Amino acid sequence: MTDEQKPSNPAIRDPHAPSNLVRDFEPLDIPVPPVPTRPSSLSDVADVEHTDTMDLTAAMAAATTPSSVRPAGYPSSRGGSRAARRSRAARAAAAGVSSLTDEDPLADRPRISSRVLCVVFGLLLIAAAFGVWWLGVHTEAGQSFDDMAEVSFPGAVPGWLGGLLALGTHLVVVIGSALLAVAAAAVVAVRRRWWLAGQLVAFGVLCFASTLLKPLLPRPFIIHTEIVDGSSAPSGHVTLAVACSIALLLAVSRGWRWVAALVGMAWSAFVGLSVIYGQWHRPSDAAMATLLVGGIALIVLAFTRTSGMDATGSRRSSAGVQIVSSVSLTASVMAVLYGAYVVWQIVPGLTMSAKWAQTSSVAASSILVVAAVVLVFGLTLMMRQITAAPLTRLGLVGAPPAPPKRRRTPSDHAS
């Protein structure tokens, strides 16, 4: 038996002698866990966008291994230069994310339920557009309401509003809408969203085709009206304004969607009221054009794919989108109900062309046109966010919310 194999006698230390922590320390034989070579679960890479300052693999290993038992050469989040750490993080994150997104269909297309909702809402808006047209063209009360509202509009609105709506000339509408369209095209090109560019082209072609419906939608003679123009639905000016505004909403990134929606609402409502003030179109023409364009936009959103969506790993919810869309939908539904109630109240005066119904007809037409605009943009904003940013298996970026940790008090230490 060699000296190494002989059992050693335990050393007995004098309890009254001072202790020496350096001399008396004996390291424990604790096994070192292996360093993982790739993320072991989906939750481990949920926050890959925020690992730009350390190697993802080294960070995970360092987090699971106590510092007191790390051997020499163990990966450390503080080792290497900043550029090297970022390079390692990029390679590790790309490897982990690519392997997961390749297996997840939501990385390339929205959920089936979202696409079905787009089609359903789009068809409902198109049906509502033709319903508005039928009520305004093929009923006696509808023709009376349109005629009274258009004739009385310039004299019934307040002076400041009339001066503002008078600025909505043909040239102003075309230039303003064109600027929105150019801005949408520039944003798509800068973001390199080529599938989205194809969607916007198809959307524009379909909106232009909708203006060709005007000669195909006759206006029968039911009662005598002061406005003797023939078929004028849908309004081409409103179609242009709403289409360009929605194009900008679809083109911008998540943080700007609610801003683009508000801008589009304001511009589309201005044009919709301006064409009535200038006696270019009846209220039903403006409302029909708005609903028709909104329906086309939602159906186009059902074909969202690949680069038409937000990049994987940057998909998050937006408080601005949630607030603007929910408030818009609620306000538009309430406004439609109130406007319909006002129209129902003045129906007896419409058939008799009573002067007491003129102010109410102007108010109801303004409310209904603006309500149609707000409804369309609220729905489009909501469905754009849902189709562009479905949560994949990576989940939300960052750790889920957790309750705050309770601070330990002196009484806790004593107990």
Side-chain angles (χ1 to χ4, degrees):
M1 179 179 298
T2 62
D3 295 337
E4 295 179 357
Q5 295 176 344
K6 292 181 180 180
S8 59
N9 296 327
I12 300 177
R13 186 175 64 85
D14 184 3
H16 301 285
S19 60
N20 189 327
L21 296 179
V22 177
R23 182 192 61 197
D24 299 335
F25 173 75
E26 295 182 4
L28 299 177
D29 187 12
I30 300 177
V32 178
V35 180
T37 57
R38 59 172 296 174
S40 57
S41 64
L42 298 176
S43 61
D44 294 332
V45 293
D47 200 17
V48 293
E49 277 200 338
H50 301 279
T51 57
D52 58 341
T53 59
M54 64 174 63
D55 186 353
L56 181 62
T57 303
M60 293 174 56
T64 58
T65 305
S67 59
S68 60
V69 296
R70 294 175 187 171
Y74 195 84
S76 173
S77 60
R78 300 181 180 274
S81 63
R82 186 181 185 88
R85 293 197 301 268
R86 288 185 176 181
S87 177
R88 293 196 302 269
R91 290 194 299 269
V97 174
S98 61
S99 62
L100 293 172
T101 56
D102 291 342
E103 302 173 358
D104 194 342
L106 295 181
D108 296 327
R109 64 184 66 90
R111 288 183 174 84
I112 297 178
S113 59
S114 300
R115 287 176 278 168
V116 171
L117 277 178
C118 286
V119 174
V120 171
F121 286 147
L123 293 178
L124 288 176
L125 288 182
I126 293 175
F130 282 97
V132 169
W133 168 78
W134 186 84
L135 290 174
V137 172
H138 289 273
T139 63
E140 180 180 351
Q143 287 194 0
S144 300
F145 176 80
D146 269 351
D147 187 70
M148 180 178 292
E150 185 177 1
V151 171
S152 307
F153 205 93
V157 298
W160 64 269
L161 181 58
L164 179 63
L165 297 178
L167 300 176
T169 61
H170 174 77
L171 184 61
V172 170
V173 172
V174 172
I175 293 178
S177 302
L179 290 176
L180 294 177
V182 171
V187 171
V188 170
V190 171
R191 300 182 65 205
R192 300 179 180 273
R193 297 294 194 264
W194 308 125
W195 184 278
L196 179 58
Q199 284 182 281
L200 293 182
V201 171
F203 172 63
V205 171
L206 292 175
C207 290
F208 174 76
S210 68
T211 61
L212 303 179
L213 294 173
K214 191 176 297 185
L216 303 178
L217 301 176
R219 187 178 185 88
F221 177 81
I222 299 178
I223 60 172
H224 175 73
T225 58
E226 296 187 37
I227 303 297
V228 295
D229 295 339
S231 179
S232 57
S235 169
H237 292 83
V238 177
T239 299
L240 177 64
V242 177
C244 294
S245 300
I246 290 181
L248 181 61
L249 169 60
L250 302 183
V252 297
S253 58
R254 179 193 66 252
W256 290 95
R257 283 177 188 142
W258 66 274
V259 179
L262 293 178
V263 172
M265 286 182 199
W267 176 248
S268 301
F270 168 75
V271 175
L273 296 179
S274 294
V275 297
I276 304 174
Y277 179 85
Q279 297 185 348
W280 303 348
H281 285 281
R282 303 174 177 92
S284 62
D285 301 343
M288 179 189 180
T290 302
L291 296 171
L292 195 59
V293 173
I296 295 173
L298 292 179
I299 292 177
V300 169
L301 279 179
F303 296 91
T304 302
R305 296 288 189 280
T306 58
S307 63
M309 306 168 66
D310 293 345
T312 305
S314 65
R315 299 177 183 177
R316 307 179 189 176
S317 60
S318 171
V321 170
Q322 294 175 2
I323 293 173
V324 173
S325 60
S326 59
V327 171
S328 299
L329 294 176
T330 304
S332 61
V333 171
M334 298 300 295
V336 168
L337 294 176
Y338 178 73
Y341 173 75
V342 173
V343 174
W344 177 67
Q345 289 287 321
I346 64 175
V347 165
L350 294 177
T351 56
M352 297 183 299
S353 299
K355 291 186 177 180
W356 59 265
Q358 293 179 358
T359 304
S360 296
S361 66
V362 172
S365 62
S366 302
I367 292 172
L368 292 174
V369 169
V370 174
V373 170
V374 175
L375 174 65
V376 164
F377 278 89
L379 274 176
T380 306
L381 176 63
M382 177 183 69
M383 298 312 302
R384 174 55 181 163
Q385 176 68 21
I386 293 176
T387 55
L391 295 181
T392 64
R393 293 178 182 178
L394 295 177
L396 285 171
V397 176
K405 294 182 179 179
R406 178 173 174 267
R407 292 186 177 181
R408 296 180 62 88
T409 60
S411 59
D412 296 333
H413 291 284
S415 60

